[in-house]
Amino acid sequence: MAELVFFSGTMDCGKSTLALQMDHNHRARGRGGVRFSCNDRAGDSTISSRLGLQTDAVEVEDHTDFWDEVVVRRTSGLRVDYLICDEAQFYSPLQVEQLARVVDEMDVDVFAFGITSDFRTRLFPGSQRLIELADRVQVLQVEALCWCGRRATQNARTLNGIMVVEGEQVMVGDVAPTDDAPFAGVVGYETLCRRHYMRRVTAHGANLMAGADQPLPFDIDACLWPGAGELHRQ
Ligand SMILES: [Zn+2]
């Protein structure tokens, strides 16, 4: 019986690596699949992992209909047993519903990979719909770490190195100034523990404070995980 599975986690927890590994495993067993991605860091029509693996994928656009994507391939004689859906947080709720229908009515396994919440700690609409509809939600066990060594559960956005909590939900490139948004700059992302997210202390900010001979606004050592800096945990 086919399944809709949502593999979730923060950035840097190895989702794309797992997506590529799963594709490989199913292909090696003679199954046919289609890889999809959306706004991958390496560019359109690509799934890339931080470990350096990269392969081609079908780019998911606003008008993409997953039901049609499967029907078109099967009609032309291609085998479609499963879909790999990377960066699924960027899919629309409607597209997630199409994925569920593909599972139920065409017996196609759907393995979706995505981060759950945005830089404001709010669920992405696509991830929310996946959590609502998936047969299984699997939280990835490779944990991203905050600079302090704790488990990172939040995705922070930085603009020119400064953490921001307002802006468009989806922003994958650097921004140019417009009349509506006068702030231009280099957009970055960093995983933080909830404590440092709430205090808005990124690695850059922590370094600045550690290098300053001024009293800190809070006791930074008290925030440290035992053994922080060794980058491993019990
Ligand atoms: Zn932290």
mmCIF file of all heavy atoms in Angstrom, residues 133-184:
data_model
loop_
_atom_site.group_PDB
_atom_site.id
_atom_site.type_symbol
_atom_site.label_atom_id
_atom_site.label_comp_id
_atom_site.label_asym_id
_atom_site.label_seq_id
_atom_site.Cartn_x
_atom_site.Cartn_y
_atom_site.Cartn_z
ATOM 1 N N LEU A 133 -2.010 15.756 6.503
ATOM 2 C CA LEU A 133 -2.451 14.677 5.609
ATOM 3 C C LEU A 133 -1.544 13.449 5.573
ATOM 4 O O LEU A 133 -1.975 12.387 5.123
ATOM 5 C CB LEU A 133 -2.582 15.220 4.174
ATOM 6 C CG LEU A 133 -3.684 16.239 3.921
ATOM 7 C CD1 LEU A 133 -3.670 16.667 2.456
ATOM 8 C CD2 LEU A 133 -5.042 15.659 4.283
ATOM 9 N N ALA A 134 -0.308 13.571 6.010
ATOM 10 C CA ALA A 134 0.647 12.477 5.813
ATOM 11 C C ALA A 134 0.250 11.226 6.591
ATOM 12 O O ALA A 134 -0.330 11.300 7.679
ATOM 13 C CB ALA A 134 2.043 12.924 6.248
ATOM 14 N N ASP A 135 0.545 10.069 6.005
ATOM 15 C CA ASP A 135 0.390 8.818 6.740
ATOM 16 C C ASP A 135 1.376 8.769 7.895
ATOM 17 O O ASP A 135 1.082 8.248 8.960
ATOM 18 C CB ASP A 135 0.636 7.629 5.798
ATOM 19 C CG ASP A 135 -0.418 7.554 4.715
ATOM 20 O OD1 ASP A 135 -1.595 7.360 5.048
ATOM 21 O OD2 ASP A 135 -0.060 7.725 3.535
ATOM 22 N N ARG A 136 2.581 9.287 7.652
ATOM 23 C CA ARG A 136 3.610 9.320 8.695
ATOM 24 C C ARG A 136 4.375 10.624 8.585
ATOM 25 O O ARG A 136 4.668 11.084 7.484
ATOM 26 C CB ARG A 136 4.615 8.174 8.506
ATOM 27 C CG ARG A 136 4.116 6.818 8.916
ATOM 28 C CD ARG A 136 5.257 5.824 8.912
ATOM 29 N NE ARG A 136 5.716 5.509 7.567
ATOM 30 C CZ ARG A 136 6.995 5.451 7.203
ATOM 31 N NH1 ARG A 136 7.942 5.706 8.078
ATOM 32 N NH2 ARG A 136 7.330 5.141 5.973
ATOM 33 N N VAL A 137 4.694 11.209 9.739
ATOM 34 C CA VAL A 137 5.614 12.338 9.780
ATOM 35 C C VAL A 137 6.842 11.860 10.528
ATOM 36 O O VAL A 137 6.736 11.392 11.663
ATOM 37 C CB VAL A 137 5.015 13.563 10.499
ATOM 38 C CG1 VAL A 137 6.053 14.686 10.593
ATOM 39 C CG2 VAL A 137 3.778 14.051 9.777
ATOM 40 N N GLN A 138 7.983 11.925 9.881
ATOM 41 C CA GLN A 138 9.204 11.437 10.504
ATOM 42 C C GLN A 138 10.142 12.614 10.733
ATOM 43 O O GLN A 138 10.527 13.296 9.778
ATOM 44 C CB GLN A 138 9.849 10.404 9.585
ATOM 45 C CG GLN A 138 10.725 9.441 10.321
ATOM 46 C CD GLN A 138 10.834 8.116 9.583
ATOM 47 O OE1 GLN A 138 9.873 7.636 8.981
ATOM 48 N NE2 GLN A 138 12.013 7.532 9.616
ATOM 49 N N VAL A 139 10.463 12.861 11.984
ATOM 50 C CA VAL A 139 11.395 13.942 12.303
ATOM 51 C C VAL A 139 12.805 13.390 12.185
ATOM 52 O O VAL A 139 13.131 12.377 12.802
ATOM 53 C CB VAL A 139 11.145 14.492 13.721
ATOM 54 C CG1 VAL A 139 12.146 15.594 14.051
ATOM 55 C CG2 VAL A 139 9.717 15.024 13.829
ATOM 56 N N LEU A 140 13.601 14.024 11.368
ATOM 57 C CA LEU A 140 14.926 13.474 11.068
ATOM 58 C C LEU A 140 15.823 13.498 12.299
ATOM 59 O O LEU A 140 15.810 14.439 13.083
ATOM 60 C CB LEU A 140 15.564 14.240 9.921
ATOM 61 C CG LEU A 140 14.805 14.031 8.610
ATOM 62 C CD1 LEU A 140 15.519 14.706 7.456
ATOM 63 C CD2 LEU A 140 14.643 12.553 8.313
ATOM 64 N N GLN A 141 16.587 12.444 12.437
ATOM 65 C CA GLN A 141 17.370 12.250 13.650
ATOM 66 C C GLN A 141 18.744 12.912 13.607
ATOM 67 O O GLN A 141 19.405 13.027 14.624
ATOM 68 C CB GLN A 141 17.539 10.749 13.930
ATOM 69 C CG GLN A 141 16.227 10.049 14.241
ATOM 70 C CD GLN A 141 15.501 10.671 15.415
ATOM 71 O OE1 GLN A 141 16.070 10.841 16.480
ATOM 72 N NE2 GLN A 141 14.245 11.044 15.214
ATOM 73 N N VAL A 142 19.156 13.326 12.398
ATOM 74 C CA VAL A 142 20.404 14.093 12.349
ATOM 75 C C VAL A 142 20.050 15.503 12.767
ATOM 76 O O VAL A 142 19.352 16.212 12.057
ATOM 77 C CB VAL A 142 21.006 14.116 10.929
ATOM 78 C CG1 VAL A 142 22.260 14.974 10.906
ATOM 79 C CG2 VAL A 142 21.313 12.703 10.470
ATOM 80 N N GLU A 143 20.493 15.889 13.941
ATOM 81 C CA GLU A 143 20.052 17.167 14.477
ATOM 82 C C GLU A 143 21.001 18.289 14.100
ATOM 83 O O GLU A 143 22.207 18.159 14.238
ATOM 84 C CB GLU A 143 19.943 17.071 16.003
ATOM 85 C CG GLU A 143 18.867 16.092 16.427
ATOM 86 C CD GLU A 143 18.773 15.973 17.925
ATOM 87 O OE1 GLU A 143 19.708 16.435 18.602
ATOM 88 O OE2 GLU A 143 17.770 15.434 18.395
ATOM 89 N N ALA A 144 20.419 19.375 13.635
ATOM 90 C CA ALA A 144 21.221 20.569 13.413
ATOM 91 C C ALA A 144 21.539 21.179 14.779
ATOM 92 O O ALA A 144 20.793 21.013 15.733
ATOM 93 C CB ALA A 144 20.446 21.568 12.559
ATOM 94 N N LEU A 145 22.668 21.853 14.858
ATOM 95 C CA LEU A 145 23.101 22.422 16.132
ATOM 96 C C LEU A 145 23.148 23.936 16.071
ATOM 97 O O LEU A 145 23.540 24.522 15.072
ATOM 98 C CB LEU A 145 24.501 21.899 16.508
ATOM 99 C CG LEU A 145 24.623 20.388 16.717
ATOM 100 C CD1 LEU A 145 26.066 20.034 17.045
ATOM 101 C CD2 LEU A 145 23.697 19.916 17.827
ATOM 102 N N CYS A 146 22.777 24.543 17.165
ATOM 103 C CA CYS A 146 22.974 25.974 17.370
ATOM 104 C C CYS A 146 24.468 26.220 17.626
ATOM 105 O O CYS A 146 25.204 25.306 17.994
ATOM 106 C CB CYS A 146 22.143 26.428 18.569
ATOM 107 S SG CYS A 146 22.270 28.183 18.963
ATOM 108 N N TRP A 147 24.905 27.465 17.476
ATOM 109 C CA TRP A 147 26.308 27.762 17.752
ATOM 110 C C TRP A 147 26.682 27.422 19.186
ATOM 111 O O TRP A 147 27.853 27.179 19.503
ATOM 112 C CB TRP A 147 26.625 29.243 17.452
ATOM 113 C CG TRP A 147 25.777 30.213 18.224
ATOM 114 C CD1 TRP A 147 24.632 30.801 17.800
ATOM 115 C CD2 TRP A 147 26.007 30.688 19.562
ATOM 116 N NE1 TRP A 147 24.113 31.608 18.779
ATOM 117 C CE2 TRP A 147 24.934 31.567 19.877
ATOM 118 C CE3 TRP A 147 26.993 30.473 20.512
ATOM 119 C CZ2 TRP A 147 24.836 32.220 21.105
ATOM 120 C CZ3 TRP A 147 26.898 31.118 21.739
ATOM 121 C CH2 TRP A 147 25.826 31.977 22.019
ATOM 122 N N CYS A 148 25.690 27.367 20.098
ATOM 123 C CA CYS A 148 25.982 27.093 21.510
ATOM 124 C C CYS A 148 26.093 25.588 21.776
ATOM 125 O O CYS A 148 26.502 25.188 22.868
ATOM 126 C CB CYS A 148 24.904 27.702 22.397
ATOM 127 S SG CYS A 148 23.321 26.847 22.311
ATOM 128 N N GLY A 149 25.744 24.778 20.786
ATOM 129 C CA GLY A 149 25.864 23.340 20.963
ATOM 130 C C GLY A 149 24.545 22.650 21.239
ATOM 131 O O GLY A 149 24.442 21.434 21.139
ATOM 132 N N ARG A 150 23.526 23.417 21.578
ATOM 133 C CA ARG A 150 22.209 22.825 21.776
ATOM 134 C C ARG A 150 21.598 22.419 20.454
ATOM 135 O O ARG A 150 21.979 22.918 19.408
ATOM 136 C CB ARG A 150 21.262 23.848 22.410
ATOM 137 C CG ARG A 150 21.253 23.855 23.900
ATOM 138 C CD ARG A 150 19.980 24.521 24.394
ATOM 139 N NE ARG A 150 20.165 24.891 25.782
ATOM 140 C CZ ARG A 150 20.810 25.978 26.160
ATOM 141 N NH1 ARG A 150 21.303 26.789 25.253
ATOM 142 N NH2 ARG A 150 20.966 26.243 27.418
ATOM 143 N N ARG A 151 20.556 21.574 20.558
ATOM 144 C CA ARG A 151 19.813 21.200 19.372
ATOM 145 C C ARG A 151 19.142 22.441 18.782
ATOM 146 O O ARG A 151 18.477 23.195 19.476
ATOM 147 C CB ARG A 151 18.755 20.166 19.744
ATOM 148 C CG ARG A 151 17.971 19.704 18.553
ATOM 149 C CD ARG A 151 16.943 18.653 18.939
ATOM 150 N NE ARG A 151 16.138 18.376 17.762
ATOM 151 C CZ ARG A 151 14.860 18.050 17.780
ATOM 152 N NH1 ARG A 151 14.232 17.941 18.925
ATOM 153 N NH2 ARG A 151 14.220 17.816 16.670
ATOM 154 N N ALA A 152 19.350 22.668 17.490
ATOM 155 C CA ALA A 152 18.728 23.822 16.832
ATOM 156 C C ALA A 152 17.345 23.441 16.343
ATOM 157 O O ALA A 152 17.180 22.463 15.618
ATOM 158 C CB ALA A 152 19.592 24.285 15.657
ATOM 159 N N THR A 153 16.349 24.191 16.753
ATOM 160 C CA THR A 153 14.978 23.897 16.356
ATOM 161 C C THR A 153 14.373 25.018 15.525
ATOM 162 O O THR A 153 13.270 24.880 15.023
ATOM 163 C CB THR A 153 14.095 23.687 17.602
ATOM 164 O OG1 THR A 153 14.205 24.846 18.437
ATOM 165 C CG2 THR A 153 14.520 22.465 18.383
ATOM 166 N N GLN A 154 15.063 26.133 15.401
ATOM 167 C CA GLN A 154 14.514 27.288 14.697
ATOM 168 C C GLN A 154 15.403 27.671 13.517
ATOM 169 O O GLN A 154 16.618 27.538 13.582
ATOM 170 C CB GLN A 154 14.421 28.497 15.650
ATOM 171 C CG GLN A 154 13.841 28.183 17.007
ATOM 172 C CD GLN A 154 12.386 27.767 16.941
ATOM 173 O OE1 GLN A 154 11.615 28.283 16.144
ATOM 174 N NE2 GLN A 154 11.994 26.813 17.765
ATOM 175 N N ASN A 155 14.746 28.175 12.468
ATOM 176 C CA ASN A 155 15.475 28.689 11.314
ATOM 177 C C ASN A 155 15.445 30.209 11.361
ATOM 178 O O ASN A 155 14.385 30.804 11.209
ATOM 179 C CB ASN A 155 14.807 28.231 10.018
ATOM 180 C CG ASN A 155 14.765 26.725 9.898
ATOM 181 O OD1 ASN A 155 15.800 26.077 9.893
ATOM 182 N ND2 ASN A 155 13.573 26.165 9.812
ATOM 183 N N ALA A 156 16.587 30.816 11.569
ATOM 184 C CA ALA A 156 16.639 32.279 11.627
ATOM 185 C C ALA A 156 17.086 32.824 10.276
ATOM 186 O O ALA A 156 17.898 32.215 9.595
ATOM 187 C CB ALA A 156 17.607 32.735 12.710
ATOM 188 N N ARG A 157 16.540 33.982 9.917
ATOM 189 C CA ARG A 157 16.986 34.660 8.690
ATOM 190 C C ARG A 157 17.840 35.845 9.083
ATOM 191 O O ARG A 157 17.530 36.553 10.050
ATOM 192 C CB ARG A 157 15.792 35.133 7.873
ATOM 193 C CG ARG A 157 16.206 35.924 6.625
ATOM 194 C CD ARG A 157 15.009 36.510 5.899
ATOM 195 N NE ARG A 157 14.207 35.486 5.275
ATOM 196 C CZ ARG A 157 12.988 35.708 4.749
ATOM 197 N NH1 ARG A 157 12.476 36.915 4.801
ATOM 198 N NH2 ARG A 157 12.312 34.726 4.204
ATOM 199 N N THR A 158 18.927 36.044 8.348
ATOM 200 C CA THR A 158 19.746 37.227 8.587
ATOM 201 C C THR A 158 19.779 38.073 7.318
ATOM 202 O O THR A 158 19.699 37.560 6.210
ATOM 203 C CB THR A 158 21.196 36.850 8.973
ATOM 204 O OG1 THR A 158 21.769 36.041 7.940
ATOM 205 C CG2 THR A 158 21.237 36.081 10.287
ATOM 206 N N LEU A 159 19.875 39.370 7.529
ATOM 207 C CA LEU A 159 20.030 40.313 6.420
ATOM 208 C C LEU A 159 21.298 41.106 6.732
ATOM 209 O O LEU A 159 21.374 41.776 7.755
ATOM 210 C CB LEU A 159 18.802 41.222 6.344
ATOM 211 C CG LEU A 159 18.660 42.097 5.093
ATOM 212 C CD1 LEU A 159 18.654 41.254 3.826
ATOM 213 C CD2 LEU A 159 17.403 42.941 5.182
ATOM 214 N N ASN A 160 22.285 40.935 5.880
ATOM 215 C CA ASN A 160 23.607 41.521 6.127
ATOM 216 C C ASN A 160 24.135 41.134 7.510
ATOM 217 O O ASN A 160 24.722 41.933 8.216
ATOM 218 C CB ASN A 160 23.551 43.045 5.986
ATOM 219 C CG ASN A 160 23.190 43.459 4.575
ATOM 220 O OD1 ASN A 160 23.590 42.802 3.608
ATOM 221 N ND2 ASN A 160 22.409 44.517 4.446
ATOM 222 N N GLY A 161 23.882 39.890 7.894
ATOM 223 C CA GLY A 161 24.424 39.368 9.140
ATOM 224 C C GLY A 161 23.569 39.645 10.365
ATOM 225 O O GLY A 161 23.848 39.128 11.439
ATOM 226 N N ILE A 162 22.537 40.453 10.228
ATOM 227 C CA ILE A 162 21.681 40.793 11.366
ATOM 228 C C ILE A 162 20.396 39.981 11.292
ATOM 229 O O ILE A 162 19.741 39.931 10.249
ATOM 230 C CB ILE A 162 21.316 42.297 11.358
ATOM 231 C CG1 ILE A 162 22.580 43.157 11.261
ATOM 232 C CG2 ILE A 162 20.495 42.655 12.594
ATOM 233 C CD1 ILE A 162 23.513 43.048 12.431
ATOM 234 N N MET A 163 20.020 39.346 12.390
ATOM 235 C CA MET A 163 18.801 38.544 12.394
ATOM 236 C C MET A 163 17.566 39.415 12.221
ATOM 237 O O MET A 163 17.439 40.464 12.846
ATOM 238 C CB MET A 163 18.709 37.766 13.713
ATOM 239 C CG MET A 163 17.513 36.840 13.772
ATOM 240 S SD MET A 163 17.551 35.822 15.255
ATOM 241 C CE MET A 163 15.792 35.506 15.424
ATOM 242 N N VAL A 164 16.661 38.973 11.343
ATOM 243 C CA VAL A 164 15.408 39.697 11.121
ATOM 244 C C VAL A 164 14.233 38.768 11.400
ATOM 245 O O VAL A 164 14.342 37.547 11.257
ATOM 246 C CB VAL A 164 15.309 40.245 9.673
ATOM 247 C CG1 VAL A 164 16.354 41.319 9.436
ATOM 248 C CG2 VAL A 164 15.452 39.125 8.649
ATOM 249 N N VAL A 165 13.106 39.348 11.816
ATOM 250 C CA VAL A 165 11.924 38.537 12.111
ATOM 251 C C VAL A 165 10.710 39.001 11.317
ATOM 252 O O VAL A 165 9.599 38.563 11.559
ATOM 253 C CB VAL A 165 11.587 38.531 13.618
ATOM 254 C CG1 VAL A 165 12.668 37.813 14.398
ATOM 255 C CG2 VAL A 165 11.404 39.953 14.133
ATOM 256 N N GLU A 166 10.952 39.894 10.355
ATOM 257 C CA GLU A 166 9.859 40.327 9.487
ATOM 258 C C GLU A 166 10.317 40.226 8.046
ATOM 259 O O GLU A 166 11.505 40.332 7.758
ATOM 260 C CB GLU A 166 9.454 41.772 9.799
ATOM 261 C CG GLU A 166 8.689 41.904 11.100
ATOM 262 C CD GLU A 166 8.372 43.349 11.432
ATOM 263 O OE1 GLU A 166 8.652 44.220 10.603
ATOM 264 O OE2 GLU A 166 7.867 43.579 12.536
ATOM 265 N N GLY A 167 9.343 40.046 7.157
ATOM 266 C CA GLY A 167 9.664 39.974 5.731
ATOM 267 C C GLY A 167 8.858 38.890 5.062
ATOM 268 O O GLY A 167 8.019 38.238 5.683
ATOM 269 N N GLU A 168 9.111 38.714 3.767
ATOM 270 C CA GLU A 168 8.416 37.695 2.995
ATOM 271 C C GLU A 168 8.739 36.317 3.555
ATOM 272 O O GLU A 168 9.855 36.069 4.001
ATOM 273 C CB GLU A 168 8.879 37.740 1.537
ATOM 274 C CG GLU A 168 8.573 39.045 0.832
ATOM 275 C CD GLU A 168 7.086 39.197 0.548
ATOM 276 O OE1 GLU A 168 6.481 38.204 0.101
ATOM 277 O OE2 GLU A 168 6.542 40.283 0.804
ATOM 278 N N GLN A 169 7.742 35.416 3.501
ATOM 279 C CA GLN A 169 7.988 34.075 4.027
ATOM 280 C C GLN A 169 9.044 33.336 3.214
ATOM 281 O O GLN A 169 9.882 32.637 3.759
ATOM 282 C CB GLN A 169 6.692 33.267 4.043
ATOM 283 C CG GLN A 169 6.876 31.893 4.671
ATOM 284 C CD GLN A 169 5.554 31.184 4.913
ATOM 285 O OE1 GLN A 169 4.729 31.106 4.026
ATOM 286 N NE2 GLN A 169 5.368 30.662 6.106
ATOM 287 N N VAL A 170 8.976 33.494 1.901
ATOM 288 C CA VAL A 170 9.922 32.792 1.035
ATOM 289 C C VAL A 170 10.889 33.801 0.442
ATOM 290 O O VAL A 170 10.494 34.717 -0.270
ATOM 291 C CB VAL A 170 9.189 32.050 -0.101
ATOM 292 C CG1 VAL A 170 10.194 31.372 -1.015
ATOM 293 C CG2 VAL A 170 8.217 31.034 0.483
ATOM 294 N N MET A 171 12.153 33.658 0.780
ATOM 295 C CA MET A 171 13.173 34.552 0.244
ATOM 296 C C MET A 171 14.447 33.730 0.109
ATOM 297 O O MET A 171 15.074 33.381 1.100
ATOM 298 C CB MET A 171 13.382 35.731 1.210
ATOM 299 C CG MET A 171 14.208 36.860 0.640
ATOM 300 S SD MET A 171 14.361 38.193 1.848
ATOM 301 C CE MET A 171 12.785 39.018 1.649
ATOM 302 N N VAL A 172 14.759 33.355 -1.111
ATOM 303 C CA VAL A 172 15.889 32.440 -1.280
ATOM 304 C C VAL A 172 17.113 33.125 -1.863
ATOM 305 O O VAL A 172 18.189 32.566 -1.872
ATOM 306 C CB VAL A 172 15.503 31.219 -2.155
ATOM 307 C CG1 VAL A 172 14.539 30.331 -1.408
ATOM 308 C CG2 VAL A 172 14.931 31.676 -3.471
ATOM 309 N N GLY A 173 16.935 34.352 -2.359
ATOM 310 C CA GLY A 173 18.099 35.044 -2.899
ATOM 311 C C GLY A 173 18.319 36.351 -2.173
ATOM 312 O O GLY A 173 17.582 36.702 -1.255
ATOM 313 N N ASP A 174 19.354 37.061 -2.561
ATOM 314 C CA ASP A 174 19.577 38.364 -1.969
ATOM 315 C C ASP A 174 18.512 39.332 -2.477
ATOM 316 O O ASP A 174 17.919 39.125 -3.521
ATOM 317 C CB ASP A 174 20.969 38.867 -2.328
ATOM 318 C CG ASP A 174 22.027 37.934 -1.768
ATOM 319 O OD1 ASP A 174 21.683 37.175 -0.842
ATOM 320 O OD2 ASP A 174 23.156 37.955 -2.271
ATOM 321 N N VAL A 175 18.269 40.385 -1.721
ATOM 322 C CA VAL A 175 17.177 41.277 -2.080
ATOM 323 C C VAL A 175 17.694 42.637 -2.545
ATOM 324 O O VAL A 175 18.634 43.189 -1.990
ATOM 325 C CB VAL A 175 16.199 41.479 -0.904
ATOM 326 C CG1 VAL A 175 15.354 40.239 -0.722
ATOM 327 C CG2 VAL A 175 16.925 41.810 0.380
ATOM 328 N N ALA A 176 17.043 43.142 -3.574
ATOM 329 C CA ALA A 176 17.322 44.489 -4.047
ATOM 330 C C ALA A 176 16.294 45.427 -3.424
ATOM 331 O O ALA A 176 15.185 45.013 -3.123
ATOM 332 C CB ALA A 176 17.215 44.530 -5.574
ATOM 333 N N PRO A 177 16.656 46.688 -3.209
ATOM 334 C CA PRO A 177 15.696 47.613 -2.595
ATOM 335 C C PRO A 177 14.549 47.936 -3.550
ATOM 336 O O PRO A 177 14.753 48.039 -4.755
ATOM 337 C CB PRO A 177 16.543 48.853 -2.315
ATOM 338 C CG PRO A 177 17.677 48.770 -3.277
ATOM 339 C CD PRO A 177 17.935 47.320 -3.518
ATOM 340 N N THR A 178 13.359 48.047 -3.003
ATOM 341 C CA THR A 178 12.200 48.498 -3.774
ATOM 342 C C THR A 178 11.513 49.584 -2.971
ATOM 343 O O THR A 178 11.889 49.847 -1.826
ATOM 344 C CB THR A 178 11.195 47.350 -4.008
ATOM 345 O OG1 THR A 178 10.690 46.937 -2.729
ATOM 346 C CG2 THR A 178 11.843 46.164 -4.693
ATOM 347 N N ASP A 179 10.495 50.195 -3.555
ATOM 348 C CA ASP A 179 9.750 51.222 -2.839
ATOM 349 C C ASP A 179 9.089 50.638 -1.585
ATOM 350 O O ASP A 179 9.031 51.264 -0.541
ATOM 351 C CB ASP A 179 8.677 51.829 -3.752
ATOM 352 C CG ASP A 179 9.325 52.694 -4.832
ATOM 353 O OD1 ASP A 179 10.516 53.041 -4.653
ATOM 354 O OD2 ASP A 179 8.661 52.998 -5.828
ATOM 355 N N ASP A 180 8.576 49.392 -1.750
ATOM 356 C CA ASP A 180 7.891 48.758 -0.616
ATOM 357 C C ASP A 180 8.875 48.275 0.440
ATOM 358 O O ASP A 180 8.573 48.263 1.626
ATOM 359 C CB ASP A 180 7.053 47.571 -1.107
ATOM 360 C CG ASP A 180 5.886 48.047 -1.961
ATOM 361 O OD1 ASP A 180 5.495 49.216 -1.806
ATOM 362 O OD2 ASP A 180 5.388 47.254 -2.777
ATOM 363 N N ALA A 181 10.036 47.810 0.000
ATOM 364 C CA ALA A 181 11.017 47.251 0.932
ATOM 365 C C ALA A 181 12.372 47.913 0.685
ATOM 366 O O ALA A 181 13.127 47.507 -0.187
ATOM 367 C CB ALA A 181 11.123 45.736 0.718
ATOM 368 N N PRO A 182 12.648 48.964 1.430
ATOM 369 C CA PRO A 182 13.871 49.723 1.193
ATOM 370 C C PRO A 182 15.146 49.015 1.643
ATOM 371 O O PRO A 182 16.242 49.468 1.348
ATOM 372 C CB PRO A 182 13.648 51.005 2.002
ATOM 373 C CG PRO A 182 12.685 50.619 3.069
ATOM 374 C CD PRO A 182 11.818 49.537 2.506
ATOM 375 N N PHE A 183 14.989 47.885 2.353
ATOM 376 C CA PHE A 183 16.182 47.234 2.872
ATOM 377 C C PHE A 183 16.722 46.221 1.867
ATOM 378 O O PHE A 183 16.080 45.214 1.595
ATOM 379 C CB PHE A 183 15.876 46.534 4.189
ATOM 380 C CG PHE A 183 15.339 47.481 5.217
ATOM 381 C CD1 PHE A 183 14.005 47.481 5.540
ATOM 382 C CD2 PHE A 183 16.184 48.399 5.833
ATOM 383 C CE1 PHE A 183 13.503 48.373 6.473
ATOM 384 C CE2 PHE A 183 15.687 49.292 6.765
ATOM 385 C CZ PHE A 183 14.346 49.288 7.089
ATOM 386 N N ALA A 184 17.872 46.462 1.347
ATOM 387 C CA ALA A 184 18.511 45.523 0.435
ATOM 388 C C ALA A 184 19.625 44.824 1.187
ATOM 389 O O ALA A 184 20.071 45.291 2.230
ATOM 390 C CB ALA A 184 19.077 46.260 -0.763
#
